[in-house]
Amino acid sequence: MFRSNTPEGTSLKVKFGVHLPPEGLTFTQMREACLAAERQGYDLFTMTDHFYPMRETSKGYPLECWSTLAGLAAVTERIKLGPLVSCVWYRNPTLLGKIATTVDIISNGRLILGIGAGWHESEFKAYYGLYPTIKEREDALEETAQILRSMLHKRETTFVGKRYRVENLINLPPPIQAAIPIMVGGGGERRTLRTAAKYGDISHFFANNAEEVERKIRVLKEHCRKSRRDSSEVSIGTSLTPIVDGGHLSSQSRDYIEACVGLGVSIFTIRFSPLGSIAMEIQREFADEIIPSFHA
């Protein structure tokens, strides 16, 4: 399990992942991309959980997330795998727990279970005939996190909430990991970060600059304090798209990573695909120049 947010004066063990939306890609392309990330020394490979393209500029419709992750789990050996992130509304939480357990078994204990409240209105309406309010989605996220935390830590789960009810659920065979890490995705400061603080092992959010990262971490820690949870139990992750200058990595990327690590970030999910034709070269360059200095 990833651990971070260590006390001041100690060094974080920084992890780097490749994040690749599967839109318009075949499974063969996803497999080759994941295997390349594993060969290059990345720690994690993540993909989006969507049924429709995320944007009008997307290149095509995506593969289903969890069946793709199961396939990747079977052909890789070392790299950790996970959704960034799985919309909790799309699958009943107990079904999601069973799916996650199975993928963890297939991968021999390499799954990180990313969950989020969801946001894609047209996707919701197309597949489920409705678009829940933000409160309904956040309520579902909070209850799902509790159910999953029980399912992935215990043999038997009972839960009674406003939305979900679970009675004497037995989750066998168990996952390989003693406790699959739950990564709560999203930076909503009132609800999402509170759910991460209470039930997550990892809090992952997007940010535009180090100042925003610092604010999110401050809010997360305050939620931990109110929940009487040690904030060091929650690792912090964020995403970034490398800055390129003259066809090569800009020093600004390293500077940003160093600033975030200084704030307590220990997991970076890197989005190379927006770089287009030079994406794979920048991914190799990042692996050669950035990863070793933070893994040392």
Side-chain angles (χ1 to χ4, degrees):
M1 183 184 299
F2 290 139
R3 290 297 184 195
S4 74
N5 202 9
T6 52
E8 292 185 11
T10 63
S11 59
L12 293 175
K13 187 174 183 181
V14 182
K15 304 292 184 180
F16 294 96
V18 172
H19 177 66
L20 182 62
E23 296 177 358
L25 300 180
T26 65
F27 177 73
T28 298
Q29 290 172 313
M30 291 296 291
R31 181 189 65 202
E32 293 307 309
C34 188
L35 288 170
E38 185 171 60
R39 287 193 304 269
Q40 292 165 348
Y42 288 90
D43 304 286
L44 172 65
F45 185 87
T46 58
M47 59 181 289
T48 49
D49 178 22
H50 285 291
F51 309 134
Y52 270 25
M54 288 187 288
R55 300 171 183 84
E56 292 183 0
T57 56
S58 298
K59 296 180 179 179
Y61 281 68
L63 296 168
E64 194 279 325
C65 175
W66 281 100
S67 47
T68 303
L69 287 172
L72 297 177
V75 299
T76 52
E77 297 180 354
R78 180 197 59 80
I79 198 165
K80 293 183 181 292
L81 304 164
L84 186 61
V85 282
S86 193
C87 176
V88 297
W89 198 281
Y90 291 173
R91 302 163 190 85
N92 184 282
T94 51
L95 173 61
L96 180 58
K98 184 65 174 180
I99 293 170
T101 296
T102 302
V103 173
D104 192 62
I105 291 169
I106 295 170
S107 70
N108 196 31
R110 291 182 285 121
L111 177 70
I112 294 177
L113 175 49
I115 57 173
W119 58 269
H120 201 312
E121 183 174 355
S122 60
E123 185 173 81
F124 266 100
K125 290 180 176 178
Y127 275 80
Y128 301 98
L130 53 80
Y131 184 54
T133 66
I134 182 62
K135 181 182 184 304
E136 291 172 328
R137 284 176 277 141
E138 289 288 355
D139 287 347
L141 175 62
E142 185 167 1
E143 291 194 11
T144 296
Q146 294 173 73
I147 293 168
L148 292 174
R149 194 163 186 85
S150 178
M151 283 185 67
L152 303 178
H153 286 72
K154 303 175 182 178
R155 183 179 184 275
E156 187 172 304
T157 294
T158 293
F159 175 84
V160 179
K162 293 181 180 179
R163 176 170 177 80
Y164 300 113
R165 182 185 182 94
V166 182
E167 294 185 16
N168 304 321
L169 181 148
I170 296 174
N171 189 32
L172 291 176
I176 299 297
Q177 298 180 80
I180 296 173
I182 295 174
M183 177 170 65
V184 178
E189 296 181 4
R190 190 174 68 88
R191 292 291 307 272
T192 306
L193 291 180
R194 187 182 73 183
T195 296
K198 294 173 71 174
Y199 308 113
D201 300 295
I202 303 167
S203 175
H204 185 287
F205 49 79
F206 295 91
N208 295 313
N209 50 58
E211 290 73 22
E212 187 175 359
V213 170
E214 184 176 23
R215 188 182 74 250
K216 299 292 185 187
I217 293 174
R218 185 169 61 250
V219 172
L220 177 71
K221 288 184 175 181
E222 179 61 17
H223 283 306
C224 285
R225 186 190 66 78
K226 290 180 179 179
S227 301
R228 298 183 180 180
R229 187 178 184 196
D230 187 340
S231 63
S232 68
E233 295 179 7
V234 186
S235 300
I236 299 167
T238 192
S239 291
L240 67 93
T241 300
I243 299 171
V244 176
D245 183 13
H248 295 282
L249 273 174
S250 167
S251 60
Q252 294 179 55
S253 295
R254 180 188 292 273
D255 294 343
Y256 180 69
I257 293 168
E258 288 179 346
C260 289
V261 170
L263 294 170
V265 176
S266 64
I267 302 168
F268 294 89
T269 51
I270 316 301
R271 298 173 290 180
F272 294 102
S273 55
L275 300 178
S277 61
I278 63 171
M280 287 307 299
E281 181 56 38
I282 298 301
Q283 182 174 314
R284 284 190 291 268
E285 191 174 330
F286 191 102
D288 291 341
E289 298 183 8
I290 302 294
I291 292 179
S293 60
F294 288 92
H295 278 186

